[in-house]
Amino acid sequence: MLSNKKEELMRWSDDDQKKFKSAFGTTDENARRTIFDRVNKEIEYNDSLNIDSFDKTNENIYAKIEGWKDHGKIHLGEKFWSNSKNDGSESTAGVLSHEISHIYNIGPTQDHFPDYNHGKDIYYKENSHLLANKRPDLALKHADSFEYYLEDR
């Protein structure tokens, strides 16, 4: 998934730009560079993951990361085990990429912004697309926007 997006970002065809604009609301070169760098950092980070990088939580969530400043532990919740799929929206790889994108050295992405949506979390594809249309500057920093971009084949 990450390697495919890296190829798209390097190729940068009309179709690639259309997917990017849908996720982030822009095809600006700085935005492209930001996401390209984040994809590369995630690829590198994934090479360092091992079984101790994860644990299970009984919370009714997909996942959350602890220790967002460096190498955080990823806590996998009930939704991760019961709702995640192999591909498409809310895929296991997408959920993990969402969480990893929160790490300061990689994103740092957020789930909410004080000056948008009354500071409430912004989750799911439809809400991410609305954010991209209204606030591309925030969409580039939004974890779900990044996840759905990666999952968009």
Side-chain angles (χ1 to χ4, degrees):
M1 180 177 74
L2 289 165
S3 296
N4 290 339
K5 285 301 171 181
K6 181 176 180 176
E7 288 177 24
E8 284 182 16
L9 289 161
M10 289 169 48
R11 183 177 55 229
W12 208 231
S13 71
D14 289 344
D15 285 341
D16 300 331
Q17 291 181 47
K18 184 179 176 184
K19 290 179 194 176
F20 192 92
K21 185 163 187 160
S22 176
F24 303 112
T26 183
T27 56
D28 174 84
E29 182 58 29
N30 287 331
R32 176 184 175 201
R33 199 169 312 120
T34 295
I35 300 304
F36 184 78
D37 289 346
R38 187 177 301 148
V39 166
N40 280 330
K41 289 174 184 177
E42 283 216 10
I43 290 169
E44 184 178 321
Y45 183 85
N46 286 347
D47 288 340
S48 70
L49 293 174
N50 60 51
I51 193 72
D52 294 327
S53 303
F54 305 92
D55 75 358
K56 186 174 186 212
T57 177
N58 292 327
E59 293 179 66
N60 191 30
I61 59 171
Y62 281 98
K64 66 181 180 180
I65 193 157
E66 173 188 320
W68 63 273
K69 288 224 178 226
D70 48 29
H71 237 69
K73 183 172 280 259
I74 301 171
H75 303 277
L76 305 173
E78 294 297 325
K79 285 184 178 180
F80 181 85
W81 302 108
S82 62
N83 295 0
S84 292
K85 303 169 269 187
N86 289 334
D87 61 6
S89 296
E90 310 300 342
S91 69
T92 53
V95 169
L96 293 175
S97 290
H98 170 120
E99 294 307 323
I100 292 167
S101 76
H102 285 308
I103 296 172
Y104 185 79
N105 296 354
I106 294 175
T109 61
Q110 298 172 277
D111 295 324
H112 60 272
F113 304 94
D115 62 339
Y116 184 84
N117 196 36
H118 306 288
K120 296 177 185 171
D121 287 340
I122 307 157
Y123 290 127
Y124 305 109
K125 190 179 265 188
E126 182 178 311
N127 295 327
S128 295
H129 286 303
L130 286 173
L131 176 65
N133 289 330
K134 291 180 180 180
R135 295 287 306 271
D137 60 315
L138 297 181
L140 287 166
K141 302 172 190 171
H142 182 236
D144 257 20
S145 295
F146 183 64
E147 174 184 344
Y148 295 130
Y149 171 68
L150 294 176
E151 293 171 333
D152 184 7
R153 299 169 127 204

